[in-house]
Amino acid sequence: MAEYTDPHIDEVAEEVPELSDGDDDDADDEEQWQWMEEDSQPVTCLFCDRLQSSVNATLQHCTAEHQVNLVGLIRKYNLDDYGYIKMINFIRSTKCKASSLAGLPDAPLPWESEAFLQPVLQDDPLLQADPEELCGSDGPRAEGHGALLHRAQAAEERARCSEEALARAMDDLHKLKVLAQGLVLNVETNRSGNLGAVSELREDEDEAYFSSYGHYSIHEEMLKDKVRTESYRDFMYSNPEVFRDKVVLDVGCGTGILSMFAARAGAKKVIAVDQSEIIYQAMDIVRSNQLEDKITLIKGRIEDIKLPVEKVDIIISEWMGYFLLFESMLDSVLYARDLYLTDGGSVYPDLCNISLAAVGDVQKHQDRIAFWDDVYGFNMTCMKKAVVPEAVVEVVKADTLISEPTVIQTIDCNRVCLSELEFSSDFCLKITNTTDCTAIVGYFDIFFDKGCSNKVMFSTGPQVTKTHWKQTVFLLEKPVAVQAGEELQGKITVRKNKKDPRSLWVTFELRDRKQTYSLQ
Ligand code: SAH
C-alpha cells in the first residue's frame, strides 16, 4: 500500500489501497484451464510405436492401421470407465496383437483383473479420455481414472488459487483496518499553531523525518537502549504519586511505551500522539495490553491536531536528539506545554544539561584528518575542509578524555522558551593531561526531578554505559597543545540551520580559531 502521511478524509479517499481484483484472477484461471485442455500431449499408439497428435487421431490410426475399433470395443463390451482403463492398460502391458482382440469371448474379459488399473505409461492421454465421450454418449459422465486424476489436479490448482486469493483478501483487510483507524482516530486538524521554526516546517519537508520513525527498527533501537527506556520506566514506576489520577500527554508516543508506563504508574488518562505510522502499531500494542480504556492514541503532528481535553497535568516525551537539540523535537514539546499544560503541571524529563570535554586521541585524529595529507602518494589535504566541519556521532573512549567535563547549558523544560534553544556559552575546560587536544566531545544528561520522591537521571557521557545517542565529536583541524592543570577557554554557539531547522550549526571558538560544525 502506498504510504499516506496526512489523515484528512478527502486525502485519504485518494489513498484507498488498491485492493486485489478477484475477477481478473478468475479470467486468468479460465485462460489457464483452456490452455491446459487445448494443449494435448502426443499419444503413443496401442499397437505400434507411432505417436499421434491426440486421442481422436489415435483412435482413427488404430482403426485404419490395425483394424481395431476401440470405440466399437467400448460399446461391444459396454465398458465403463474402469473397464476402459483396464482394457487400455491390458493392451499396453501384454502388447497383445490387434487381431487377438477380434474374437474375444463376452466374458470373462482378459483385462478383468484390478491389476490393469495400474497405468503402463505415465500420464497416458488415452487413460484421461472419457469412454462415454468417445462413444459420443450424452448420458451422465462416470469418471474414469484419468479423468478423476485430471479433476483432482484441477481441484488442487483451484485450492491453491483460492489460498492465494484469501491471503490477498487478508492483506486488503489489514490495509482497510489501518485506513479506518486513521479516519476514526484523527481528530480535527488545527493549523493555526505556529510556534517555532519546526512547527512552520512544510509537511513535505517533515515527511522524511516522520517516515524514518515509521519503521520499526528505530523504535527497536530506542526500546533496546536500556539506559534510556529504564530511566523513563523507573521514574514513572518509582514515583506513582506524581501520576496517580493525572491526565498525561505523551508527545511522540512511538510504540506507546511511555504511555503504557504512565498508565501502569496510575495515570487516569493518557493521550498519546504521534505523526509517524508507528502509531498504528501502538494502537495494536495498547489493545494487546488491555490499556485501550486508559490510553487514547491520536495520529498527527502535535502542532496540527486538537486534543480531546483542554488541559493535561503531565507531559512526557522522549524528544532528545544527538547533542540533545538535534531534531528540534523539543520545540514540539514546548508547543504542547504552552497550549495544554495546566497551571502547576509538569513536563518530564524536566532538566537537561549539555556538557563538553576535551579529547586527546592522536591516533583517531591522524586517521580522520592527517590521512588526507598522503593518500597512496597523493596530496588530498583539501578534503580536510569537508571532513572537519561535520560533527561525528560516535562512542568516545573514556581514556581519551583529557579534561574534566563542563556543563555549557542547562535546560529546564518547564520554563525554557524557544528562543533559548539557540545560545552562546563561554566555557572553560580543566585539562588533566599534558598532550594534544584533538577534539571536543559533547553529550547530555537527563533528569526526572520536579516533585519526585525518587529522582532519576541518566547520562549520555563517555564515562558511563553507552546509549544510542553515543557522543558528538567536534574534530579540531589542528590539534592544540595543552598542559595538565591548564584551563582551556572557549566559546560555543548553537544555532538552528535556517534551511533545515531540524539540523544544527555548532560553532567553537578556541585559541583564536573559529570552526563551525554541522550536525545533520
Ligand atoms: N516515545 C517513544 C518514541 C520516541 S521517538 C519512545 O520513547 O520509545 C520520538 C517520536 O516522536 C517519533 O515516533 C516521532 O514520530 C514523534 N514525533 C516527533 N515530533 C512529533 C510531532 N511534532 N508531533 C507528533 N509526533 C512527533
Side-chain angles (χ1 to χ4, degrees):
M1 174 189 167
E3 286 186 355
Y4 60 93
T5 52
D6 196 295
H8 297 189
I9 290 178
D10 49 353
E11 288 180 39
V12 166
E14 290 172 16
E15 303 280 358
V16 169
E18 254 190 45
L19 303 182
S20 54
D21 181 345
D23 290 341
D24 280 349
D25 293 336
D26 285 348
D28 285 346
D29 273 354
E30 251 169 57
E31 256 175 50
Q32 192 179 349
W33 286 111
Q34 260 173 19
W35 173 83
M36 286 183 72
E37 280 163 15
E38 282 164 14
D39 187 49
S40 49
Q41 290 171 248
V43 187
T44 310
C45 171
L46 288 169
F47 306 104
C48 67
D49 289 329
R50 297 262 298 276
L51 287 178
Q52 304 298 324
S53 61
S54 66
V55 170
N56 279 337
T58 312
L59 299 184
Q60 283 165 17
H61 164 82
C62 288
T63 310
E65 292 291 318
H66 306 291
Q67 289 76 49
V68 175
N69 180 350
L70 286 167
V71 172
L73 288 176
I74 295 168
R75 287 211 182 103
K76 178 172 175 195
Y77 297 113
N78 200 17
L79 297 180
D80 62 13
D81 297 293
Y82 295 105
Y84 165 75
I85 288 169
K86 288 197 266 187
M87 175 181 76
I88 299 294
N89 290 329
F90 165 79
I91 300 172
R92 288 205 190 282
S93 62
T94 59
K95 296 189 171 46
C96 67
K97 288 217 169 75
S99 55
S100 69
L101 294 173
L104 287 176
D106 279 356
L109 289 165
W111 52 78
E112 213 83 313
S113 159
E114 298 291 301
F116 295 116
L117 282 171
Q118 183 70 30
V120 178
L121 297 184
Q122 207 182 352
D123 298 324
D124 187 353
L126 280 180
L127 296 184
Q128 290 170 29
D130 183 340
E132 284 193 27
E133 259 173 29
L134 295 179
C135 298
S137 157
D138 293 327
R141 268 184 71 174
E143 302 265 355
H145 181 251
L148 275 174
L149 199 71
H150 184 83
R151 283 167 67 85
Q153 282 167 348
E156 217 169 84
E157 181 61 15
R158 276 182 209 288
R160 193 184 61 73
C161 292
S162 303
E163 267 168 27
E164 279 174 15
L166 188 67
R168 280 197 299 275
M170 298 281 282
D171 193 40
D172 290 343
L173 209 62
H174 177 74
K175 288 174 190 166
L176 283 171
K177 185 173 126 191
V178 168
L179 191 68
Q181 283 171 333
L183 289 172
V184 172
L185 290 159
N186 274 296
V187 297
E188 183 195 331
T189 59
N190 164 15
R191 293 183 176 269
S192 60
N194 62 350
L195 294 179
V198 164
S199 53
E200 282 169 358
L201 269 174
R202 288 220 336 270
E203 207 162 280
D204 51 347
E205 285 171 337
D206 242 8
E207 207 175 288
Y209 171 75
F210 286 115
S211 75
S212 73
Y213 278 112
H215 196 260
Y216 77 88
S217 57
I218 192 165
H219 295 278
E220 181 175 352
E221 186 188 23
M222 290 189 289
L223 293 169
K224 285 181 175 168
D225 182 339
K226 284 191 171 193
V227 172
R228 178 202 91 110
T229 311
E230 290 184 357
S231 297
Y232 276 87
R233 182 198 62 188
D234 294 350
F235 149 62
M236 292 192 242
Y237 285 1
S238 61
N239 293 285
E241 71 284 356
V242 171
F243 286 88
R244 192 163 304 123
D245 293 330
K246 295 286 170 32
V247 177
V248 177
L249 170 62
D250 179 357
V251 177
C253 63
T255 53
I257 183 72
L258 306 186
S259 294
M260 294 191 291
F261 286 153
R264 288 257 162 91
K268 179 167 73 186
K269 174 156 206 55
V270 184
I271 299 157
V273 179
D274 206 301
Q275 162 65 347
S276 89
E277 306 226 333
I278 194 71
I279 196 157
Y280 298 129
Q281 302 286 355
M283 289 169 185
D284 279 349
I285 292 168
V286 162
R287 264 197 303 276
S288 306
N289 291 281
Q290 293 85 45
L291 288 169
E292 64 269 36
D293 294 342
K294 280 251 168 89
I295 301 174
T296 303
L297 292 131
I298 301 172
K299 182 175 186 296
R301 291 171 86 229
I302 188 73
E303 293 86 350
D304 296 341
I305 60 162
K306 194 166 175 301
L307 290 195
V309 294
E310 286 262 299
K311 293 287 171 192
V312 300
D313 302 303
I314 293 174
I315 293 177
I316 49 171
S317 183
E318 198 280 77
W319 51 267
M320 295 83 79
Y322 298 129
F323 199 51
L324 189 69
L325 297 176
F326 183 67
E327 271 189 51
S328 291
M329 197 188 147
L330 180 55
D331 292 21
S332 302
V333 176
L334 300 188
Y335 171 87
R337 179 197 68 187
D338 295 342
L339 197 59
Y340 296 116
L341 194 65
T342 190
D343 288 346
S346 305
V347 176
Y348 292 107
D350 51 327
L351 300 176
C352 322
N353 285 341
I354 302 178
S355 295
L356 299 178
V359 176
D361 190 342
V362 176
Q363 184 62 49
K364 179 142 270 164
H365 193 273
Q366 274 179 355
D367 191 40
R368 300 285 327 275
I369 308 295
F371 166 78
W372 299 104
D373 288 332
D374 178 357
V375 181
Y376 300 96
F378 297 100
N379 179 337
M380 295 195 185
T381 306
C382 61
M383 293 287 279
K384 293 181 188 176
K385 291 273 178 268
V387 174
V388 171
E390 282 194 13
V392 185
V393 173
E394 65 184 5
V395 174
V396 169
K397 291 198 217 103
D399 62 8
T400 63
L401 294 177
I402 56 161
S403 81
E404 288 174 11
T406 186
V407 174
I408 53 140
Q409 180 71 317
T410 294
I411 293 173
D412 178 345
C413 298
N414 285 295
R415 294 171 195 279
V416 74
C417 64
L418 209 64
S419 60
E420 291 170 307
L421 302 182
E422 295 185 275
F423 59 89
S424 280
S425 168
D426 292 322
F427 63 84
C428 177
L429 294 169
K430 194 145 185 260
I431 300 294
T432 50
N433 304 32
T434 301
T435 181
D436 278 346
C437 172
T438 56
I440 303 290
V441 60
Y443 61 89
F444 59 89
D445 304 323
I446 294 295
F447 300 84
F448 300 89
D449 193 275
K450 188 182 168 198
C452 294
S453 47
N454 296 300
K455 299 183 192 305
V456 173
M457 71 83 60
F458 69 94
S459 172
T460 66
Q463 309 268 25
V464 289
T465 310
K466 73 167 191 196
T467 68
H468 77 286
W469 287 286
K470 303 176 185 170
Q471 287 89 39
T472 304
V473 177
F474 306 94
L475 280 169
L476 304 182
E477 185 175 349
K478 292 209 163 52
V480 170
V482 290
Q483 302 264 316
E486 168 187 350
E487 294 199 328
L488 183 61
Q489 310 279 349
K491 182 176 178 184
I492 181 173
T493 303
V494 177
R495 298 249 168 277
K496 284 176 183 159
N497 178 344
K498 295 278 174 294
K499 287 195 187 134
D500 174 11
R502 290 206 182 271
S503 77
L504 291 181
W505 292 121
V506 180
T507 305
F508 279 95
E509 289 166 61
L510 209 64
R511 292 249 178 105
D512 300 328
R513 284 186 156 265
K514 190 169 175 175
Q515 176 72 56
T516 296
Y517 299 84
S518 69
L519 189 50
Q520 22 194 294

